[in-house]
Amino acid sequence: MSVILVQGYHSLKGELEIQGSKNAVLPMMAAAILHKGTTVLHHVPRIQDVFCMMGILESLGCVCRLEGHTLSIDARELTCCRIPEEGGKAMRSSIILLGALLGRCNEAFAHYPGGCSIGSRPIDLHLRALKELGAVIEEDDGVLHAASTGLSGTVIHLSYPSVGATENILLAAAGANGTTVLHGAAREPEVEVLCRMLGAMGVRIRGMGTELLEIQGEKTLGGGVFEVPGDRIVTGTYAAAVMAAGGRALFRRSSPRHLGCVLSTMKSMGAAIRIDQDGVEVSMEGRTRPWAVETGPYPGFPTDLQSLLMVLFAVGEGGGYLKETVFEGRFATAKELHKMGAAIIIEGKEAFVTGGQLRGACVRSCDLRGGAALVVAGLAADGETRITDCHHIDRGYEDICKDLQSLGAVIRRET
Ligand code: UD1
């Protein structure tokens, strides 16, 4: 088991290239199995979720090779359509392989994903939509079996713009007969990236980036070489680090186009933000100003950065207010921040944070973004902060210690 140790009160300065996006690369990897050949992805982040997805694809019969940040997936021989239990449960987003496997081989087995630390995370919307496309789905002892004699395009209405369900539908509809019209699709940039990749593979998609998608299924999809965009959530994390610790940093490959709501919130809280062709530069002097934020589907404020904002409010001048509308369990990090002296009152979906001073403490990373938020809290705390259960952070950050060290943070990892 490894821990991260952070010494607070060192301001940050420098430049950083942002890793490829976790939430974009995983559906891109799933899309690769729709092509009976090799697909190449560049700027792939070397994170645990990618390694886990590679393991799952290999168990299905694909040959995956990751050299540096380039991943090639050869899906010529897909010999199995059973998502292995271990990989499937380790990474909930493996559920999007259901749509891809149905599209490619008309059958898929997957373990029903359990609850997780940020909320119950049901998959009812995924399953309903796949059934509407013609799949018969049965559950036996926690194992889902989906099969069809060939999916058929149809009209689907999503009652909530679920990111995963939208991706599952896209992947299934890409291999279906006829046209699928999807109302209420998620508009997250990662969905658009998947649409563009499928488009380049030969699927005709109208309405990319909107909540109304029209997908014309194609039986034979081509491969290609694709670029994973920079991770907007990692950019947001490191921007929050600069705001918590003070200083100035430039983030290259940082997807500023997709950070509108985040950067405008950070500006309102006192950060100076400059965007040009090099990337996003964030600088901060003094403490953050109070603000009120409600999370929501894109283009709203991303739930993935909510715990980072909580930290900024906790070390700010006048605190702040948060309303979490996406995942009910995303306030778990508040309990750990209390150990560092934060004053946070949680009432259902709302958090009332009083601004103040944090002190170093031993805290536990509860989930991926919550763990990163504790690292950022450590940068602004008096003394040393010790963060345990760092494996959560490794799911989405290539090397958070190295990145922050390069900006001047005093941080290290001990195993
Ligand atoms: C994805 C992202 C995650 C991000 C989230 C919301 C990936 C790998 N993960 O997760 O980082 O925080 O989008 O932007 O891309 N829901 C249902 N039934 C369903 C599906 C979802 O009720 O069948 C609910 C969920 O419980 C949650 C909400 O819808 O309350 C949003 O979930 P969803 O958009 O599906 O998130 P994920 O795709 O799991």
Side-chain angles (χ1 to χ4, degrees):
M1 204 173 87
S2 69
V3 295
I4 290 178
L5 299 157
V6 192
Q7 292 288 340
Y9 292 173
H10 294 271
S11 62
L12 305 184
K13 188 167 184 284
E15 314 185 358
L16 199 58
E17 178 169 295
I18 298 295
Q19 67 184 59
S21 160
K22 169 179 91 70
N23 290 355
V25 74
L26 297 174
M28 290 172 92
M29 291 172 75
I33 69 173
L34 293 171
H35 167 56
K36 292 181 182 153
T38 301
T39 300
V40 176
L41 306 178
H42 289 305
H43 199 43
V44 171
R46 299 181 67 92
I47 53 177
Q48 280 308 320
D49 273 13
V50 165
F51 301 144
C52 182
M53 188 63 124
M54 282 171 65
I56 295 174
L57 294 185
E58 278 170 350
S59 76
L60 300 176
C62 298
V63 179
C64 300
R65 239 184 42 213
L66 179 61
E67 281 173 10
H69 291 92
T70 297
L71 173 64
S72 69
I73 300 168
D74 181 349
R76 208 163 323 203
E77 309 275 338
L78 210 72
T79 47
C80 168
C81 56
R82 187 178 287 271
I83 302 166
E85 179 172 7
E86 200 188 335
K89 286 195 169 160
M91 191 181 57
R92 281 189 52 89
S93 46
S94 61
I95 203 69
I96 55 171
L97 285 168
L98 265 189
L101 282 169
L102 275 169
R104 168 82 189 254
C105 31
N106 290 331
E107 191 174 27
F109 291 87
H111 281 263
Y112 205 96
C116 86
S117 58
I118 62 168
S120 59
R121 301 187 87 171
I123 54 165
D124 54 319
L125 301 175
H126 301 239
L127 300 185
R128 196 176 311 144
L130 294 176
K131 284 178 188 167
E132 283 169 0
L133 282 162
V136 175
I137 304 180
E138 286 165 352
E139 189 192 331
D140 182 22
D141 204 16
V143 180
L144 289 164
H145 176 217
S148 82
T149 49
L151 298 179
S152 299
T154 186
V155 179
I156 299 173
H157 289 264
L158 275 181
S159 55
Y160 183 89
S162 155
V163 176
T166 302
E167 291 166 348
N168 232 335
I169 294 165
L170 276 163
L171 291 162
N177 294 312
T179 301
T180 299
V181 179
L182 172 58
H183 294 268
R187 289 189 286 154
E188 266 66 5
E190 296 76 20
V191 171
E192 194 179 333
V193 170
L194 176 61
C195 286
R196 292 200 184 283
M197 175 169 172
L198 290 171
M201 291 167 78
V203 184
R204 293 245 299 272
I205 302 180
R206 283 170 56 183
M208 293 188 197
T210 75
E211 60 188 357
L212 176 59
L213 296 173
E214 203 178 296
I215 309 126
Q216 204 172 312
E218 187 60 55
K219 272 291 147 212
T220 311
L221 297 190
V225 179
F226 304 95
E227 182 86 10
V228 180
D231 194 314
R232 64 191 170 105
I233 304 300
V234 172
T235 307
T237 304
Y238 293 156
V242 172
M243 290 179 70
R248 175 192 299 261
L250 173 70
F251 303 112
R252 298 185 190 280
R253 280 194 159 181
S254 43
S255 301
R257 193 164 68 85
H258 299 134
L259 280 162
C261 182
V262 173
L263 296 179
S264 69
T265 301
M266 289 178 161
K267 252 185 195 169
S268 305
M269 291 170 67
I273 312 266
R274 196 172 57 83
I275 300 172
D276 61 23
Q277 73 277 11
D278 289 335
V280 178
E281 188 184 68
V282 180
S283 37
M284 183 78 197
E285 276 175 30
R287 296 171 68 192
T288 55
R289 291 199 286 267
W291 203 247
V293 172
E294 179 172 328
T295 63
Y298 189 83
F301 192 93
T303 172
D304 287 356
L305 289 173
Q306 177 259 103
S307 44
L308 275 302
L309 263 199
M310 185 179 271
V311 169
L312 294 181
F313 289 156
V315 298
E317 243 171 19
Y321 166 85
L322 285 166
K323 185 166 180 188
E324 172 58 59
T325 70
V326 184
F327 288 115
E328 71 268 27
R330 270 250 158 101
F331 281 147
T333 303
K335 206 170 120 215
E336 301 304 307
L337 290 172
H338 286 155
K339 295 178 191 163
M340 300 177 74
I344 303 166
I345 296 168
I346 306 285
E347 283 177 9
K349 291 179 172 180
E350 298 174 303
F352 302 86
V353 188
T354 306
Q357 218 80 54
L358 297 183
R359 56 175 184 274
C362 183
V363 287
R364 191 177 72 85
S365 161
C366 311
D367 59 76
L368 163 58
R369 305 303 171 186
L374 293 173
V375 170
V376 170
L379 297 172
D382 186 14
E384 185 175 83
T385 298
R386 195 182 168 85
I387 299 132
T388 65
D389 286 15
C390 300
H391 57 277
H392 290 296
I393 302 175
D394 299 337
R395 284 191 39 229
Y397 295 83
E398 267 195 6
D399 194 338
I400 199 168
C401 291
K402 191 167 142 231
D403 283 347
L404 291 171
Q405 275 165 6
S406 75
L407 298 177
V410 180
I411 180 170
R412 68 181 200 281
R413 191 155 180 149
E414 274 182 4
T415 304

